[in-house]
Amino acid sequence: MTSETYRNPVLDADWSDPDVVRVGDDFYLTASSFGRAPGLPLLHSRDLVNWTLIGHALERLEPAAEFDRPRHDCGVWAPSLRYHDERFWIFWGDPDQGLFQINAPQIRGPWTRPHLLKAGQGLIDPCPLWDEETGEAYLVHAWAKSRSGVKNRLTGHRMRPDGTGLLDEGKVIVDGDRIPGWFTLEGPKLYRHDGWFWILAPAGGVDTGWQGAFRSRGFFGPYEERIVLEQKDTDVNGPHQGGWVRTPSGEDWFLHFQQRGAYGRVVHLQPMSWGPGGTSRSSEAESGGGWPVFGDDGAPVAEHRRPALPPQPPATPATDDDFPGGRFGRQWQWTANPGDGWATQHSGDGLRLTCVRSADAHDLRKLPHLLTQRLPGKPCTVEVELRLDSDEPGARAGLAVLGDAFGWIGLQRGPDGTVHLVHRFAEGVAERERDAAHPRLAPEGRARLRIGIGAGARCRFSGDVGDGDGFRPSGPVFTATPWRWVGALLGLFALAPTGQGHAGTAAFTRFRISAS
């Protein structure tokens, strides 16, 4: 790679189902956040290659009672980000509730509370379009078979121009069952270009699918289709679902995800042009050129010339944190809507987490008070310093790798008052954790915790309890796993068994992720 080129992925972590918009010289991106809070991350770039996390659009998930416990694969699915009428708009689907919308005058807010646009189960992946030529507004969405019994089709609506409601019952405008070889059609993004209505939508499933393009002279169809991006002979499996954006100079680019197991859905940037391109699976598609061409003649690129935009300093979403004043950075999200008093602000540095009492202390997957961030997509070393400030027997705190299976290393107060370094894990099918190594005395109630994450998300845990031996390996290798739709997470937690009264706190300092 040279200063004139970039390498994919441009976001090497789980920024699932990305969508992008340009406003002036600035590019903004959002992604699925599922059941974590705050939700709807907001990223900013000036060159489409270097991105920083600038905030979140959704402070809490609603209805709040549904998300006061972890629902890891539910919540906010596949948002669409748009700019219209001098406002930013985000539409998303909650597969258990329906289609939602929020908007704001500035990207940093204030954002409105979620407005339910269409209620129903299995409604997902909404995308609006305001037609500047006619003043009409439209919305397209997909279906989740797990909730509705329906999939592989796209439904279109006319929408109120103010985005507050839909004007009809909806009509199936693309039926994937009628296109030979197509299945799991979803994730539509709706555009107007060159006199056509365009829907960019993936099919074929997240692991092995492709990106399709559909076009029609009228919003309600009929649509003709082409495959415009697929794996071919590259290493990029399932290159699809994302958004098209045009630079001020008129260059076109497409940001999409690639499913990478425990690392989740990493984001690639593809060059885009307009020409004959694509692979037709429709007899109607013989009607001429003007189709989008993604990547290298429909195959994803690994390295490519940078967009013709002003050079920017290297940047990636933050990971490290010193927790100034007890506050945690934007990269952190709770596994459910946060409760009062989980984290304490103070005058110094370091994160103070309350040892929240829980009947689910044996299973981190069930705890809402885990503070998490995305697992990096490249080999790395994760470190944090921990002090357990709790006299409660059974109180514990630590550093975790969280997914369908989980592992953690940390400190626990014993019934005799001593503190031990413990290392525990649970398989995906296990209902409770068990020891991965023998406990080790931590006489000062402090430890440095480390997880070395290698290729294939293979994790090596180690700890330093200040006894002069330094970091000592703990237990066997643990391979991180995702949930069904969410990549594995790194997490910090503090908890205590059920009981009465305040159970103390745990203090975390100097959280660092370094390349291995």
Side-chain angles (χ1 to χ4, degrees):
M1 186 175 67
T2 70
S3 60
E4 287 76 37
T5 64
Y6 70 90
R7 288 194 62 84
N8 276 316
V10 293
L11 285 167
D12 200 1
D14 188 26
W15 302 96
S16 178
D17 312 316
D19 195 24
V20 63
V21 69
R22 178 179 66 86
V23 179
D25 293 328
D26 298 288
F27 300 92
Y28 300 102
L29 181 147
T30 192
S32 296
S33 51
F34 299 97
R36 304 193 299 278
L40 289 171
L42 300 169
L43 287 79
H44 171 255
S45 177
R46 284 289 184 92
D47 64 0
L48 293 172
V49 174
N50 295 285
W51 292 89
T52 57
L53 178 64
I54 60 173
H56 292 81
L58 187 65
E59 184 175 345
R60 302 174 68 89
L61 291 93
E62 295 187 6
E66 292 292 322
F67 292 98
D68 62 0
R69 67 190 190 284
R71 301 181 67 203
H72 298 291
D73 288 312
C74 302
V76 177
W77 284 22
S80 292
L81 174 62
R82 293 293 181 264
Y83 186 75
H84 167 72
D85 196 24
E86 298 185 346
R87 296 187 73 84
F88 290 90
W89 302 77
I90 300 179
F91 288 66
W92 76 91
D94 179 321
D96 299 304
Q97 299 185 70
L99 307 179
F100 288 89
Q101 170 262 106
I102 58 175
N103 59 86
Q106 305 290 334
I107 193 68
R108 289 178 172 83
W111 289 87
T112 59
R113 286 189 61 178
H115 172 72
L116 184 61
L117 198 65
K118 181 181 180 181
Q121 290 201 331
L123 307 177
I124 58 171
D125 308 348
C127 184
L129 172 69
W130 287 269
D131 190 340
E132 303 296 339
E133 297 179 14
T134 65
E136 298 286 323
Y138 304 95
L139 182 112
V140 64
H141 71 82
W143 296 85
K145 187 175 182 179
S146 60
R147 272 70 162 190
S148 65
V150 175
K151 72 168 188 175
N152 205 30
R153 65 186 63 173
L154 306 180
T155 295
H157 292 267
R158 293 177 62 242
M159 184 176 71
R160 293 183 182 275
D162 63 3
T164 60
L166 303 177
L167 298 175
D168 55 38
E169 294 300 313
K171 174 187 175 183
V172 175
I173 58 176
V174 179
D175 186 346
D177 290 343
R178 295 179 178 272
I179 308 173
W182 284 59
F183 60 96
T184 317
L185 175 64
E186 57 187 352
K189 295 293 181 280
L190 182 59
Y191 306 93
R192 198 84 156 94
H193 173 68
D194 197 26
W196 298 85
F197 287 90
W198 290 91
I199 298 174
L200 301 181
V206 296
D207 288 312
T208 59
W210 59 87
Q211 177 66 37
F214 300 81
R215 73 178 186 182
S216 174
R217 291 297 186 184
F219 171 70
F220 288 102
Y223 283 85
E224 49 187 324
E225 91 287 338
R226 289 191 176 185
I227 293 175
V228 291
L229 185 68
E230 55 188 329
Q231 181 172 358
K232 296 189 176 181
D233 60 354
T234 73
D235 295 330
V236 182
N237 59 292
H240 67 302
Q241 189 155 332
W244 163 35
V245 69
R246 176 166 285 178
T247 69
S249 65
E251 286 187 349
D252 293 310
W253 296 85
F254 183 69
L255 285 148
H256 68 92
F257 77 71
Q258 174 200 10
Q259 172 69 33
R260 289 191 58 221
Y263 302 112
R265 300 174 180 181
V266 302
V267 178
H268 292 239
L269 177 66
Q270 301 297 335
M272 177 178 167
S273 60
W274 292 86
T279 301
S280 171
R281 293 200 182 180
S282 165
S283 59
E284 294 180 302
E286 302 300 328
S287 55
W291 288 84
V293 181
F294 293 173
D296 180 8
D297 194 26
V301 300
E303 183 173 344
H304 194 269
R305 173 189 59 81
R306 287 174 174 264
L309 293 163
Q312 301 295 318
T316 57
T319 57
D320 296 353
D321 206 340
D322 286 321
F323 310 108
R327 296 173 175 85
F328 49 84
R330 299 184 181 100
Q331 64 268 38
W332 298 96
Q333 296 170 289
W334 300 103
T335 48
N337 281 334
D340 293 335
W342 288 358
T344 305
Q345 295 183 7
H346 53 88
S347 59
D349 290 347
L351 175 69
R352 292 180 187 169
L353 293 182
T354 299
C355 293
V356 178
R357 294 187 181 275
S358 174
D360 294 317
H362 59 280
D363 192 341
L364 300 187
R365 294 165 295 199
K366 297 181 179 180
L367 300 180
H369 54 277
L370 262 74
L371 196 60
T372 66
Q373 63 168 282
R374 292 160 179 83
L375 187 74
K378 289 186 174 65
C380 64
T381 300
V382 184
E383 289 189 12
V384 70
E385 298 175 10
L386 169 64
R387 184 182 72 243
L388 184 61
D389 297 326
S390 171
D391 295 326
E392 182 79 10
R396 70 203 73 162
L399 169 66
V401 176
L402 187 69
D404 185 51
F406 69 85
W408 67 273
I409 190 167
L411 298 175
Q412 177 168 324
R413 179 75 64 179
D416 61 355
T418 59
V419 176
H420 286 83
L421 179 78
V422 296
H423 177 195
R424 300 205 174 105
F425 78 103
E427 301 161 280
V429 296
E431 296 183 357
R432 60 187 309 117
E433 66 188 26
R434 56 195 177 103
D435 286 331
H438 294 291
R440 179 180 165 199
L441 186 65
E444 301 298 323
R446 298 170 178 263
R448 291 191 296 159
L449 311 175
R450 176 184 289 171
I451 305 176
I453 305 172
R458 291 167 57 84
C459 303
R460 276 284 190 189
F461 292 76
S462 58
D464 176 2
V465 295
D467 58 2
D469 288 344
F471 279 100
R472 285 169 50 184
S474 180
V477 169
F478 171 82
T479 301
T481 63
W483 281 283
R484 186 174 184 186
W485 308 125
V486 181
L489 300 166
L490 298 171
L492 304 177
F493 70 92
L495 61 89
T498 54
Q500 300 297 317
H502 184 64
T505 63
F508 295 88
T509 54
R510 287 187 52 79
F511 182 90
R512 296 289 185 271
I513 299 180
S514 56
S516 295

